[in-house]
Amino acid sequence: MKYYIGVDIGGTNTKIGILDDKFNILIEDRMKTLSKNGARETFKRIWNKVLELSKEINIKEEQIEGIGLGIPGPVENQSIVKIAANFSWGNNFDAKKLMEEITGKKVKVENDVRTIAIGEHLFGAGIGSSNLAVIPIGTGIAAGIILNNKIVSGSHGFAGEFGHIVVDKEGYKCGCGLTGCVETYVSATGLIRYGKKMMEEKKEGLMYERFKNSMNEFDAYHIFEYLYKDDIAMEVFDNFSDKLAYAISILLNTLNLDTIILAGGVAKSADIIIERVKEYLPKYTLSISLEGLQIKKSKLLDSAGIKGAAALILNN
Amino acid sequence: MKYYIGVDIGGTNTKIGILDDKFNILIEDRMKTLSKNGARETFKRIWNKVLELSKEINIKEEQIEGIGLGIPGPVENQSIVKIAANFSWGNNFDAKKLMEEITGKKVKVENDVRTIAIGEHLFGAGIGSSNLAVIPIGTGIAAGIILNNKIVSGSHGFAGEFGHIVVDKEGYKCGCGLTGCVETYVSATGLIRYGKKMMEEKKEGLMYERFKNSMNEFDAYHIFEYLYKDDIAMEVFDNFSDKLAYAISILLNTLNLDTIILAGGVAKSADIIIERVKEYLPKYTLSISLEGLQIKKSKLLDSAGIKGAAALILNN
């Protein structure tokens, strides 16, 4: 029996799973990434954790077929991390080579959003779809795009920067340097900022009454808690949905996708977001591009990254 | 020796070429499409023209390896024209089957913008690029997108509707039913409309003086004729370039393309458009997505469609 390792390396936490050859997760654990100790140290700790988990379920090291790593930042040729996003591991960092050195196993590396997309496509809400985008919405927003059953990486691994489509030229300055990116509205950060701004301006409504003396406690999920009960929550939500629909419409018009999958932290409220996004879509999307379109929420949730990363090893 | 036929069927004219196995065009001709006589009649006339041209250069019918057809409108599986765009040939029209029936040859069909993109990619300005968009600008605007050296068709052949990215929610109603599409500004039609509107409002400048009594003679190319000599021409051109840059930025951010090729009637002025688009791009595009980017003009011009169509036969 062969086994596959899927690793989802995040800025704070790293998730690790061992999968069988049917891609069932047999055991799964998480640990602090502690990236400051350097890439080699981090990768070694991940490998030790893998060996420890293997032992727990009686898998021998030689039964491990390979390791897939999902890492934030642009990844080229499923090996090189082009730009240090959340880690100070340097640009053009050969993550594949380092992990192969440490483990003696076959390693493939991919951008974390793309591993999530691959996971949903092969094992989750994207089964049966050939042209899809998986859009995780959390602190930020991006898209893992799959066309003709192949993940789109772009010429240098930078594809999927969906969050930096400019939707409001007079909008907020974005961390990326541009102005009015999708991400400034359609993200947890965006919801909080716009919600606070509206409450500070209008000073009314149930949500304002609750947070007026504790603005710091106001979080993105409160917008969803106060929907249909508070005008500010509704306006922030409508703006979020409108901007998201606009950005999705562009993918639909240019790529004629059959499926959109919402994932990430905000996916907990995906049902209500999908409902509203569907109302806005026809404003920006050709009717032919809406035909047969499915908009779904993530099915694998937190496991999508692990499954997608492990699948890199299979997927040649 | 084997020969390949490339046909570029347009609303008014149809271009036909015979290519050798190195994809040199040996002979080329054009005829009226006369689509009103029906698809069968039109395809028969095309085939007769092919036989006539073959005879002229001493090619026997049995030496013809196959026929590629470029047709306006969405094409699925290189065979079915999903929606009658310029012709009244019905929806879900099996162009491949009909042409195979008439000719007894292997036939492949593709959307005309995609054949142009394939032509430029294999034989023109796109040689050496793996991730590119070819953007013909004429009466309208669209994009033939190639990723990882494969043409993107989408789930039902509708991909590439780049001209219907909404860039101005308060803009002009577009023929497609949406409002403020790229095409309403970035097209010959858009240039003429905006130019006329500005002249009628401002009633000044060299261009206005020339056309004030003959507005019907005002055409898109006059904008380029009056550049740097007339404020209205400059403003119309800047708006055109800004909107085009915006739409291109979205392709760059989401797909990380290495090459953009401008084609179509407006490509005659491509040098000056490219120069200005490059100035606007950083306003909307991540700096990483601009790295190494090439923006070029069409090399094959009118032959791109014929060459791309003929190449469909080779390209399995």
Side-chain angles (χ1 to χ4, degrees):
Chain A
M1 187 80 152
K2 286 173 178 173
Y3 297 91
Y4 301 84
I5 311 299
V7 183
D8 186 356
I9 304 181
T12 310
N13 292 304
T14 290
K15 285 171 273 178
I16 300 172
I18 302 182
L19 292 81
D20 64 18
D21 57 4
K22 290 187 182 63
F23 284 82
N24 300 302
I25 298 179
L26 304 177
I27 190 166
E28 185 174 354
D29 203 0
R30 64 171 61 207
M31 54 190 265
K32 292 280 167 209
T33 304
L34 305 177
S35 66
K36 275 184 212 159
N37 300 333
R40 183 173 292 271
E41 202 46 50
T42 307
F43 281 20
K44 272 190 188 167
R45 285 177 50 251
I46 290 171
W47 181 232
N48 287 337
K49 173 64 88 178
V50 168
L51 293 175
E52 189 186 297
L53 292 172
S54 305
K55 216 169 174 183
E56 261 183 64
I57 53 170
N58 291 315
I59 290 172
K60 287 179 200 136
E61 192 177 329
E62 54 269 29
Q63 289 179 293
I64 294 174
E65 184 67 10
I67 302 162
L69 298 181
I71 293 190
V75 176
E76 196 171 23
N77 295 329
Q78 302 199 328
S79 51
I80 312 285
V81 183
K82 296 287 287 181
I83 290 178
N86 303 34
F87 312 125
S88 49
W89 296 348
N91 292 344
N92 292 309
F93 156 58
D94 195 336
K96 175 186 164 77
K97 195 176 156 196
L98 178 61
M99 195 61 163
E100 283 182 342
E101 247 177 63
I102 291 171
T103 64
K105 298 289 175 187
K106 182 175 164 188
V107 174
K108 286 199 178 180
V109 184
E110 189 49 281
N111 163 270
D112 56 351
V113 174
R114 294 204 279 270
T115 57
I116 290 170
I118 293 168
E120 290 290 349
H121 178 227
L122 295 178
F123 313 111
I127 291 177
S129 158
S130 302
N131 297 279
L132 64 155
V134 179
I135 304 176
I137 311 176
T139 316
I141 180 171
I145 300 169
I146 291 172
L147 298 178
N148 272 325
N149 299 306
K150 293 244 165 82
I151 191 80
V152 173
S153 303
S155 53
H156 296 294
F158 297 126
E161 292 293 355
F162 175 80
H164 300 288
I165 294 175
V166 172
V167 291
D168 181 3
K169 292 180 202 178
E170 269 78 50
Y172 294 106
K173 192 90 186 164
C174 180
C176 74
L178 299 174
T179 298
C181 295
V182 174
E183 186 162 298
T184 63
Y185 297 99
V186 189
S187 64
T189 332
L191 285 171
I192 293 168
R193 176 170 49 194
Y194 197 44
K196 281 186 180 170
K197 181 175 171 256
M198 293 284 294
M199 286 191 278
E200 276 153 12
E201 272 174 29
K202 299 214 168 178
K203 298 190 188 303
E204 61 183 30
L206 287 175
M207 203 163 72
Y208 172 73
E209 291 305 324
R210 167 144 166 221
F211 291 103
K212 63 181 175 186
N213 298 318
S214 58
M215 249 342 150
N216 287 338
E217 287 169 25
F218 176 68
D219 206 339
Y221 68 85
H222 292 120
I223 294 289
F224 297 96
E225 197 181 310
Y226 279 89
L227 275 191
Y228 302 102
K229 298 174 206 154
D230 181 274
D231 286 351
I232 290 176
M234 280 310 287
E235 186 172 329
V236 173
F237 173 63
D238 275 346
N239 178 61
F240 171 99
S241 306
D242 183 26
K243 298 285 196 289
L244 178 57
Y246 173 73
I248 289 175
S249 79
I250 293 174
L251 297 184
L252 298 176
N253 286 341
T254 53
L255 303 174
N256 185 206
L257 305 176
D258 54 52
T259 305
I260 297 287
I261 297 168
L262 299 188
V266 177
K268 282 170 209 146
S269 311
D271 288 330
I272 200 162
I273 296 172
I274 290 171
E275 197 189 313
R276 187 56 60 107
V277 162
K278 279 185 178 169
E279 288 169 28
Y280 282 110
L281 274 179
K283 202 168 134 190
Y284 309 118
T285 322
L286 292 175
S287 57
I288 48 166
S289 306
L290 286 173
E291 258 175 46
L293 175 71
Q294 298 200 318
I295 310 184
K296 298 172 167 184
K297 58 180 169 182
S298 161
K299 201 170 162 186
L300 302 183
L301 303 171
D302 270 2
S303 311
I306 289 178
K307 286 204 163 188
L312 294 172
I313 297 302
L314 200 73
N315 184 27
N316 276 314
Chain B
M1 188 78 153
K2 287 173 180 176
Y3 297 92
Y4 301 84
I5 311 300
V7 184
D8 186 356
I9 304 182
T12 310
N13 293 305
T14 290
K15 285 171 271 175
I16 300 171
I18 302 182
L19 291 81
D20 64 18
D21 57 4
K22 290 188 181 61
F23 284 82
N24 300 303
I25 298 179
L26 303 177
I27 189 167
E28 185 174 356
D29 202 359
R30 63 171 61 207
M31 53 191 267
K32 291 280 166 208
T33 305
L34 305 176
S35 67
K36 275 186 212 156
N37 300 331
R40 184 173 291 271
E41 201 47 50
T42 307
F43 281 19
K44 273 189 187 166
R45 286 176 51 250
I46 290 171
W47 181 232
N48 286 336
K49 174 64 90 179
V50 169
L51 294 175
E52 190 185 296
L53 293 172
S54 306
K55 216 169 172 181
E56 260 184 64
I57 53 171
N58 290 316
I59 290 172
K60 289 179 199 135
E61 193 178 326
E62 54 267 31
Q63 288 178 293
I64 295 175
E65 184 69 8
I67 303 162
L69 297 181
I71 294 191
V75 176
E76 195 171 23
N77 295 329
Q78 302 199 328
S79 52
I80 312 285
V81 183
K82 296 286 287 181
I83 290 178
N86 303 33
F87 313 125
S88 50
W89 295 348
N91 292 344
N92 291 309
F93 156 58
D94 195 335
K96 174 185 164 77
K97 194 177 157 196
L98 178 62
M99 196 61 163
E100 284 182 341
E101 246 176 65
I102 291 170
T103 63
K105 298 290 175 188
K106 182 176 166 186
V107 174
K108 287 198 178 180
V109 185
E110 191 48 282
N111 163 270
D112 56 351
V113 174
R114 294 204 279 269
T115 56
I116 290 170
I118 293 168
E120 289 291 348
H121 178 228
L122 295 178
F123 313 111
I127 291 176
S129 157
S130 302
N131 296 280
L132 65 155
V134 179
I135 303 176
I137 311 175
T139 316
I141 180 170
I145 300 169
I146 291 172
L147 298 178
N148 272 326
N149 299 307
K150 292 244 166 81
I151 191 81
V152 173
S153 302
S155 53
H156 295 294
F158 297 128
E161 291 293 355
F162 174 79
H164 300 288
I165 295 174
V166 172
V167 291
D168 181 3
K169 292 180 203 179
E170 270 78 49
Y172 294 107
K173 191 90 186 162
C174 180
C176 74
L178 299 173
T179 298
C181 294
V182 174
E183 185 162 299
T184 63
Y185 296 99
V186 189
S187 64
T189 331
L191 286 171
I192 293 169
R193 178 171 46 198
Y194 197 45
K196 280 186 180 171
K197 181 175 170 255
M198 292 284 294
M199 285 191 280
E200 276 152 13
E201 272 174 30
K202 299 215 167 176
K203 297 189 188 304
E204 61 183 29
L206 286 176
M207 202 163 73
Y208 172 72
E209 291 304 325
R210 167 141 165 223
F211 291 104
K212 64 181 175 185
N213 299 317
S214 57
M215 246 345 148
N216 288 337
E217 287 168 25
F218 175 69
D219 207 339
Y221 67 86
H222 292 120
I223 295 288
F224 297 95
E225 198 181 309
Y226 280 88
L227 276 190
Y228 301 101
K229 298 174 207 155
D230 181 273
D231 286 351
I232 291 176
M234 280 310 289
E235 185 171 330
V236 172
F237 173 63
D238 276 346
N239 178 61
F240 171 100
S241 307
D242 184 25
K243 298 284 196 290
L244 178 57
Y246 174 72
I248 290 175
S249 79
I250 293 174
L251 297 184
L252 298 176
N253 286 341
T254 54
L255 303 174
N256 185 209
L257 305 175
D258 54 52
T259 305
I260 298 286
I261 297 168
L262 300 187
V266 176
K268 283 170 207 145
S269 311
D271 288 330
I272 199 160
I273 296 172
I274 289 170
E275 196 189 312
R276 187 56 60 107
V277 162
K278 280 185 178 167
E279 288 169 28
Y280 282 110
L281 273 179
K283 202 168 134 190
Y284 308 118
T285 321
L286 292 174
S287 56
I288 49 166
S289 308
L290 287 173
E291 257 174 49
L293 174 72
Q294 300 202 329
I295 309 185
K296 299 174 168 184
K297 59 181 168 180
S298 161
K299 200 169 163 188
L300 301 184
L301 301 172
D302 270 1
S303 311
I306 289 177
K307 286 203 162 186
L312 294 173
I313 298 303
L314 200 73
N315 182 27
N316 275 313

